[in-house]
């Protein structure tokens, strides 16, 4: 992911799920370039009491030219959900150099989409529109919990 230390030694395991698809299950077309392209709903649990904020990174490591970032979202209140088609925090640049969510759109085959959730012990002092490297650098040493959900998608 990065050369940064990111994690605390006593890191918690967060639970991240979606009511729209199961872990290692197929993401419905509604959340992709083949339809509305809105972010799927997500639910969280086991968030540490010390968490000040959450951050979410959605990426596709199967992209032909290296990992494709679909969404960078941070300074999310420590909550139990992100609603469909919502952005409850600051948004960074995806790999299309746009701020916000971009849905899965693999050129061929089945791709794996990693929804990575981070609990942080601070509110990040970052403006919207930064890239993943800048986000990870700001998170360095402040991650107190992580969780991951993997969704699959293949264009019809």
């Amino acid at each position: 992911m990065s050369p940064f230390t990111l994690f605390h030694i006593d890191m918690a395991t967060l639970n991240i799920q979606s009511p729209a698809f199961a872990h290692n299950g197929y993401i419905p077309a509604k959340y992709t370039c083949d339809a509305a392209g809105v972010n799927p709903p997500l639910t969280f649990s086991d968030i540490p009491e010390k968490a000040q904020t959450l951050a979410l990174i959605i990426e596709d490591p199967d992209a032909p030219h290296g990992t494709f970032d679909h969404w960078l979202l941070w300074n999310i209140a420590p909550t139990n959900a992100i609603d469909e088609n919502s952005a409850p925090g600051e948004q960074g640049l995806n790999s299309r150099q746009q701020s916000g969510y971009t849905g899965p759109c693999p050129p061929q085959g089945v791709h794996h989409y990693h929804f990575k959730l981070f609990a942080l012990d601070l509110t990040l002092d970052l403006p919207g529109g930064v890239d993943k490297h800048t986000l990870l650098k700001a998170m360095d040493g402040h991650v107190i919990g992580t969780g991951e959900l993997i969704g699959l998608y293949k264009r019809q």
Side-chain angles (χ1 to χ4, degrees):
M1 168 131 63
S2 90
F4 304 112
T5 308
L6 286 188
F7 310 110
H8 282 235
I9 292 172
D10 58 345
M11 188 170 44
T13 300
L14 310 177
N15 184 9
I16 174 174
Q17 297 180 329
S18 177
F21 62 95
H23 180 67
N24 286 320
Y26 279 86
I27 298 169
K30 175 180 185 177
Y31 307 109
T32 73
C33 69
D34 293 322
V38 298
N39 67 277
L42 300 169
T43 60
F44 315 131
S45 59
D46 303 325
I47 297 174
E49 287 184 27
K50 293 181 181 181
Q52 295 292 309
T53 60
L54 302 175
L56 179 70
I57 297 174
I58 302 175
E59 56 191 19
D60 172 9
D62 302 323
H65 302 291
T67 299
F68 187 97
D69 300 321
H70 285 267
W71 203 16
L72 308 177
L73 186 66
W74 64 91
N75 289 346
I76 305 164
T79 181
N80 61 359
I82 292 177
D83 293 331
E84 177 181 292
N85 196 26
S86 71
E90 294 290 337
Q91 298 184 86
L93 294 179
N94 58 43
S95 290
R96 289 197 172 127
Q97 298 304 302
Q98 299 170 341
S99 194
Y101 175 82
T102 187
C105 198
Q108 62 185 23
V110 176
H111 283 221
H112 298 76
Y113 298 88
H114 295 251
F115 292 69
K116 296 179 179 181
L117 181 66
F118 303 89
L120 306 175
D121 65 1
L122 80 167
T123 298
L124 296 174
D125 185 20
L126 286 178
V130 301
D131 63 13
K132 184 165 72 173
H133 178 79
T134 303
L135 174 58
L136 292 174
K137 187 175 179 182
M139 290 170 43
D140 189 22
H142 297 286
V143 176
I144 59 173
T146 63
E148 184 172 26
L149 169 67
I150 298 174
L152 309 174
Y153 191 67
K154 177 180 181 179
R155 298 188 73 191
Q156 300 304 311

